[in-house]
Amino acid sequence: MRKFILVSLSFFLLTACSKKGFKKGTGESPCEEPQPASCRIDSIYPVEKGRPAMNRWTAVGVHYNDKGNPALANYELVHYAHMKFSVSFIYDSKDRLIELTAPVGYEMDEGFYTTPRRVKYVYQGDSPLPVRDSIFKIGGQEVIEVEDLFYDEQGRINRIVHRGDNYPWLHEYESRYYYDARGNKQVSLNGAGVEPGLAEYGDKPSLYSLHPVWQLIHKDYSINSVKNGAETYNNEGLPLKVNLNAFYNRAAGIFYNRSFLCVENGPDYELSYISYACSELKKQN
């Protein structure tokens, strides 16, 4: 009888943990998985803006629609000039992301490589997963790269076939990814045709995990953030004061979308602040 009670109790605990967001195939105990869904990104801005003529930096504020999806990102960028521009997130009737609009509000060219690109997503049928995206040249209507997207059994992008002129010496190449036992992204094949080695992750939640849109546009579904780069965290384990230039999986970096939301600290200072809206979301749950 005692054995039966112990077995039943163990089953109950495992079931209770699984209802708190356990994701199949992570290789971890459900109870150990971080739960960051109660917060969302509000803004990212540099600790010190420095002298515009001697430095560069990016800041962004994110606005959400009534359904909680990112709708507008307002940027401020200093890179030889002081610029302000916006990027909109466009959805179809099924709430699927179909376009990141080109930066609006300032005339830009290819020299501003840290700015977001215009991207369009294509779906087949009712699938929530796009089969490809098209990346546009900054300041124009020309498509410079088309990416065919492939997924693992959990709906995470694990292979990309790149077609176009993003890298002039290579008109078609592949990127391949997999997720380790902890559910974090590793690169098995990069644009140079090599495996770059393992990225090292910590125990804090990933910024990408805060919203499916971040996972899609960054093509990163990691449970945890990389190990280095953050100095302070909030009560949810999310970074508050962070070196954005170091705080992402560089091996998985993509030419047009490098650090989170293409925000960088700049070379002459080290940190940015990230602010979140957490309490409002908790009140709704």
Side-chain angles (χ1 to χ4, degrees):
M1 183 67 180
R2 179 178 297 177
K3 183 177 180 180
F4 174 79
I5 293 174
L6 289 174
V7 171
S8 300
L9 180 59
S10 298
F11 177 79
F12 172 79
L13 290 174
L14 286 173
T15 304
C17 291
S18 68
K19 291 180 179 179
K20 293 180 181 179
F22 175 60
K23 293 186 178 180
K24 178 182 176 183
T26 61
E28 291 187 312
S29 165
C31 298
E32 296 174 358
E33 192 162 321
Q35 302 296 318
S38 61
C39 295
R40 65 187 186 191
I41 296 287
D42 181 67
S43 61
I44 307 174
Y45 49 96
V47 173
E48 293 181 7
K49 294 184 178 181
R51 293 176 293 172
M54 303 297 293
N55 203 352
R56 70 174 187 262
W57 51 267
T58 318
V60 64
V62 182
H63 300 268
Y64 298 81
N65 61 23
D66 293 340
K67 296 184 178 180
N69 294 321
L72 183 69
N74 292 322
Y75 284 85
E76 190 172 358
L77 169 70
V78 167
H79 192 170
Y80 305 113
H82 190 179
M83 296 164 281
K84 294 183 178 181
F85 57 90
S86 298
V87 171
S88 296
F89 300 76
I90 309 300
Y91 302 88
D92 65 9
S93 60
K94 297 180 174 65
D95 294 321
R96 301 178 299 189
L97 181 68
I98 57 174
E99 184 176 356
L100 294 177
T101 65
V104 176
Y106 200 94
E107 190 67 29
M108 298 183 184
D109 59 33
E110 292 297 307
F112 301 111
Y113 65 90
T114 59
T115 59
R117 301 272 182 163
R118 180 188 179 199
V119 184
K120 281 193 169 186
Y121 297 89
V122 175
Y123 299 80
Q124 288 184 346
D126 293 329
S127 173
L129 308 175
V131 295
R132 66 179 177 274
D133 60 33
S134 298
I135 304 152
F136 291 77
K137 184 177 181 179
I138 289 180
Q141 299 298 313
E142 178 187 358
V143 174
I144 61 171
E145 184 173 329
V146 174
E147 297 180 325
D148 298 312
L149 308 175
F150 301 86
Y151 299 83
D152 64 15
E153 62 182 7
Q154 296 187 42
R156 302 172 299 195
I157 294 171
N158 65 353
R159 176 180 172 232
I160 305 172
V161 175
H162 309 257
R163 296 180 283 116
D165 297 323
N166 198 349
Y167 298 90
W169 61 90
L170 199 62
H171 291 287
E172 183 172 317
Y173 67 98
E174 286 192 21
S175 300
R176 291 180 179 267
Y177 314 103
Y178 68 94
Y179 285 80
D180 59 26
R182 299 180 61 208
N184 296 317
K185 182 178 181 178
Q186 302 290 352
V187 181
S188 56
L189 183 70
N190 64 15
V194 300
E195 183 175 354
L198 296 177
E200 192 173 2
Y201 291 85
D203 59 356
K204 300 293 192 296
S206 165
L207 291 178
Y208 308 120
S209 70
L210 296 181
H211 201 284
V213 165
W214 308 146
Q215 294 174 327
L216 173 59
I217 66 175
H218 288 283
K219 300 174 174 67
D220 195 324
Y221 303 78
S222 296
I223 299 295
N224 304 106
S225 62
V226 293
K227 193 168 186 179
N228 298 317
E231 284 196 357
T232 58
Y233 298 86
N234 68 7
N235 292 334
E236 305 291 327
L238 295 166
L240 293 174
K241 198 173 182 181
V242 61
N243 181 347
L244 289 167
N245 300 339
F247 197 66
Y248 72 105
N249 184 345
R250 284 186 174 273
I254 300 173
F255 177 79
Y256 64 90
N257 209 3
R258 296 188 175 182
S259 57
F260 187 77
L261 292 182
C262 294
V263 179
E264 66 167 358
N265 310 324
D268 298 327
Y269 55 97
E270 296 183 351
L271 299 169
S272 289
Y273 287 121
I274 305 178
S275 66
Y276 305 88
C278 294
S279 58
E280 294 85 351
L281 292 180
K282 286 180 178 179
K283 290 176 183 178
Q284 296 174 6
N285 295 332

